[in-house]
Amino acid sequence: MSALMQWGFALCAAMVAMGLCRMLIPSSGMEKTFRFVVSIFFLAVLLSPVAFRFPDLMLDLPIHTQEETHRRSANLDEMTHRQALGIAERQLQQIVGEKLSQRGINAHSITINFTTNLEGAIELDSVIIVLDAAHSESEVALRRHLESELGATVLLHYA
């Protein structure tokens, strides 16, 4: 019976605390967020006896060490970095392909090379393009045009 009284008191105290907090929050965009948080809190207080009565229903969240958290964070950063480079590479390949097609040239392959500077920023290092041998006579003009457009070294190879 004591447990029931404690639960009832906790429920009443939670309702009073939420009512006071609601009076303090002005009517604004935060009001909806506050109502949501209060609802979740009240639901937790309401269901707490069930969780304590049946401990098998309790969620066991894995506890990670700080080293493991840092390792996971580093892995996530590395994966994000690789994905960003892949997206940037595909977009640059498309841009270079469009620049070449404007001049009536189709590339066999376009390779984008990136470098990372000392501050950790990614920079375009060079672009390697493989073209048909028929386009070799306009190599200098084409290379200069692409280098001025891309701001990086352009290497042209012919197949």
Side-chain angles (χ1 to χ4, degrees):
M1 192 66 164
S2 172
L4 186 60
M5 287 177 56
Q6 286 178 350
W7 176 68
F9 178 75
L11 209 57
C12 290
M15 289 176 61
V16 168
M18 289 183 287
L20 290 174
C21 289
R22 189 166 179 206
M23 282 190 253
L24 295 174
I25 297 290
S27 296
S28 66
M30 287 293 294
E31 186 175 10
K32 287 183 182 180
T33 305
F34 178 74
R35 282 185 183 177
F36 177 73
V37 170
V38 165
S39 299
I40 297 296
F41 175 72
F42 188 71
L43 187 62
V45 170
L46 187 65
L47 296 178
S48 63
V50 175
F52 290 125
R53 176 107 169 116
F54 303 105
D56 293 339
L57 297 176
M58 301 278 290
L59 295 176
D60 283 332
L61 299 176
I63 299 173
H64 301 290
T65 64
Q66 189 172 7
E67 291 175 12
E68 186 177 352
T69 303
H70 285 299
R71 183 183 54 78
R72 287 181 177 202
S73 176
N75 288 343
L76 185 60
D77 287 344
E78 179 63 28
M79 183 176 60
T80 304
H81 181 75
R82 282 194 313 263
Q83 288 176 347
L85 282 177
I87 291 169
E89 182 177 3
R90 287 188 294 278
Q91 288 178 340
L92 281 171
Q93 285 173 339
Q94 183 179 4
I95 289 170
V96 170
E98 289 172 0
K99 297 284 182 193
L100 291 172
S101 65
Q102 289 173 355
R103 293 178 161 245
I105 301 172
N106 290 325
H108 289 287
S109 69
I110 300 170
T111 305
I112 309 294
N113 296 316
F114 293 103
T115 59
T116 305
N117 65 17
L118 296 175
E119 290 84 33
I122 300 168
E123 297 176 347
L124 178 60
D125 181 47
S126 64
V127 179
I128 302 170
I129 305 170
V130 178
L131 303 171
D132 285 331
H135 299 292
S136 62
E137 67 275 352
S138 63
E139 175 180 357
V140 175
L142 179 61
R143 188 172 40 80
R144 284 187 183 157
H145 172 71
L146 289 173
E147 283 179 349
S148 69
E149 290 284 326
L150 299 172
T153 303
V154 175
L155 304 171
L156 298 175
H157 298 284
Y158 299 97

